[in-house]
Each structure stands twice: as C-alpha cells, then as structure tokens.
C-alpha cells in the first residue's frame, strides 16, 4: 500500500476503532424479515384485488337485477291491471 | 431472528467475519460517515447472503461484495444529493467521532472531493485494485478513472505534504 492508501487506511481505522461487528445472524434475520414483509405485502395486494373483483361482480349483478328489461316491466304492469 | 447461521450457509459466516470490518473501513473514506459505512456493509452482506449459493462457488466472492458495496455507496450518494437541500439546513454531514488530528485533516480534504474521486482513490490506493478493473467495476472508461485519481491525488497532495512536514519536524 502506498502513502495515500496508508493515510486512508489510518483514517478509516481511527473512525471504526469502536466498531463492534454484529453477528451474521443479524444480517440473515434482516433478510428473512424483509422477505416476510414482501410476501405479506404481495399477498395483501392479491387479496385486495380479489375482493375488489368480487365486489365489482356483485355490483354488476345487482345492477342487472335492478334495471329489468322494459318488456318485463310492461308485462308486469299489464298483469297488475 | 435465527439462533445461528444454518449449516447450509456453508462458509458465509467465515466470509462475513473476514470481510465485514475491512469493507466498513474501505467505505469510510468514501461516504465519510462510519455509521453509513456500516449500513452499506450490512446491505452488501445481505445481498451476498441472498446470492450465497452462487457466490460461494466464485474464486473471489470478495470482489463481488466490494463491487456491490461501491454501487450501494453511489446510490446512497444520489439519494443524499436529492436530499441535500433539506440537509444543508442542518449543517454538514455527521462529524465523525473521536478523530485524531491527522484523520481530521484528511477527512476535511476528502470532504471537498466528489464521491467518484474518493471512490477511485480508495479502490486504487487502499484496496489495490488496478485502474482497468476499477473502470470495469464502475462502468466508466479507463481514462475517467485515471482523471479521477489524478484530481484526487492533487487535492490530497497539500495535506500529505503537511503530514510529511509534521512527521519530519515533530
């Protein structure tokens, strides 16, 4: 290592003198937590999309129930008379 | 949280133990913040762990780790630059703890250099990576790396001259 390298190294060492190396489990734990969060988020998105789809279908069904064809309405009116 | 690193993580633990501290040290002169250097190191190891099945077969997984860390440092710098206006209201970035006089001088000089120049200096002078390899790792032409090194050396030259004087006279 040349002069610049040595100086940079010395600076880095002085800055990290009190650094404690965390156990590797910590890194792995973080990765697992992230994976879980990502999985939960994507599952929630899928569930939300399914719910919205079902609601949309139900809405369309209800609308077709409420708006009856005009012939049906006319026949009902005749029958009522 | 897991109890211990699983047996199928073959070699990750020793890789981690061997390179954690050196990587933090390589990142400190680049990001100028030991806490940020640690965060970047942990993120790089996280990615290494995710790819460990493939990485463990590499001749030099350390090279991969350092490349990822350098890219993460650039990404962080871009994010910081975007937030620079807000940060500038609170003064300069966190001042490092318990720095000796030499470190303070060098850090002050490094703070005036762009990240790309600090990165080139660290990769070449501290880590001993050849210029061509740095260019390939960073995706820039060799001439750009040489220019960055040259400007970086010029900027550090007065500090190094002062240090030489101090060591001669004192």
């Amino acid at each position: 290592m040349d002069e610049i390298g040595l100086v940079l190294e010395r600076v880095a060492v002085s800055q990290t003198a009190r650094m404690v190396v965390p156990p590797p489990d910590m890194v792995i734990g973080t990765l697992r937590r992230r994976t879980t969060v990502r999985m939960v988020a994507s599952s929630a998105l899928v569930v939300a999309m399914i719910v919205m789809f079902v609601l949309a279908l139900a809405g369309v069904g209800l609308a077709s129930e409420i708006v009856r064809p005009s012939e049906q309405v006319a026949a009902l009116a005749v029958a009522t008379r | 949280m897991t109890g211990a690193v699983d047996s199928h993580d073959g070699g990750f633990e020793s890789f981690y133990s061997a390179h954690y501290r050196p990587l933090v040290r390589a990142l400190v002169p680049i990001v100028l913040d030991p806490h940020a250097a640690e965060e970047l190191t942990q993120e790089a190891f996280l990615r290494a762990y995710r790819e460990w099945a493939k990485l463990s077969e590499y001749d030099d997984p350390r090279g991969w780790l350092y490349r990822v860390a350098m890219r993460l440092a650039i990404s962080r710098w871009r994010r910081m630059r975007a937030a620079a206006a807000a940060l500038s209201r609170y003064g300069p970035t966190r001042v490092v703890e318990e720095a000796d006089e030499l470190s303070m001088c060098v850090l002050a000089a490094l703070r005036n250099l762009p990240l790309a120049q600090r990165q080139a200096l660290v990769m070449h002078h501290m880590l001993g990576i050849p210029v061509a390899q740095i260019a390939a790792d960073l995706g820039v032409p060799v001439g750009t790396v040489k220019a960055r090194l040259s400007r970086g050396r010029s900027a550090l030259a007065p500090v190094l001259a002062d240090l030489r004087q101090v060591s001669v006279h004192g």
Side-chain angles (χ1 to χ4, degrees):
Chain A
M1 207 183 285
D2 59 15
E3 190 186 13
I4 295 179
L6 287 171
V7 167
L8 293 174
E9 176 81 18
R10 191 172 155 184
V11 169
V13 168
S14 80
Q15 296 304 297
T16 54
R18 286 196 294 172
M19 180 183 73
V20 179
V21 177
D25 294 351
M26 202 195 83
V27 172
I28 296 161
T30 307
L31 182 65
R32 290 196 175 139
R33 267 197 307 279
R34 266 194 209 175
T35 311
T36 310
V37 167
R38 222 172 275 163
M39 224 167 62
V40 168
S42 55
S43 307
L45 185 71
V46 168
V47 168
M49 283 173 73
I50 291 170
V51 168
M52 280 166 68
F53 182 69
V54 168
L55 286 176
L57 277 182
V60 168
L62 276 177
S64 66
E65 276 290 315
I66 292 162
V67 184
R68 288 183 175 145
S70 54
E71 299 88 37
Q72 224 178 340
V73 174
L76 272 173
V78 169
T80 317
R81 267 183 228 153
Chain B
M1 189 76 88
T2 57
V5 179
D6 303 345
S7 54
H8 71 265
D9 297 331
F12 181 78
E13 195 172 354
S14 54
F15 175 71
Y16 176 91
S17 307
H19 299 296
Y20 186 92
R21 203 179 283 271
L23 181 55
V24 175
R25 286 181 177 163
L27 288 169
V28 165
I30 297 173
V31 296
L32 303 173
D33 179 347
H35 304 289
E38 271 212 76
E39 279 166 26
L40 293 175
T41 299
Q42 286 170 14
E43 181 62 36
F45 272 108
L46 206 61
R47 293 180 187 201
Y49 182 74
R50 208 184 287 150
E51 303 285 323
W52 189 244
K54 191 176 71 184
L55 274 181
S56 57
E57 288 168 14
Y58 283 15
D59 291 335
D60 182 20
R62 174 182 171 270
W64 184 95
L65 181 77
Y66 275 69
R67 272 195 297 281
V68 167
M70 293 300 158
R71 284 189 205 128
L72 288 171
I74 295 173
S75 307
R76 178 187 174 272
W77 173 75
R78 285 190 185 134
R79 282 199 309 274
M80 294 288 286
R81 192 176 54 172
L87 284 172
S88 63
R89 277 182 242 140
Y90 302 97
T93 46
R94 203 168 2 185
V95 178
V96 285
E97 317 150 3
E98 282 189 21
D100 56 35
E101 204 174 334
L102 178 141
S103 301
M104 291 300 279
C105 292
V106 177
L107 283 168
L110 286 171
R111 206 163 275 131
N112 290 326
L113 293 180
L115 178 127
Q117 287 176 27
R118 296 198 299 264
Q119 200 171 32
L121 286 172
V122 167
M123 290 176 89
H124 188 66
H125 292 285
M126 199 172 153
L127 302 175
I129 302 172
V131 171
Q133 184 63 51
I134 297 173
D137 288 351
L138 300 179
V140 294
V142 170
T144 305
V145 176
K146 284 182 180 168
R148 287 175 185 174
L149 281 170
S150 168
R151 288 192 203 115
R153 282 187 210 114
S154 305
L156 286 185
V159 182
L160 294 175
D162 285 350
L163 292 176
R164 269 181 234 122
Q165 259 188 339
V166 168
S167 60
V168 166
H169 297 292

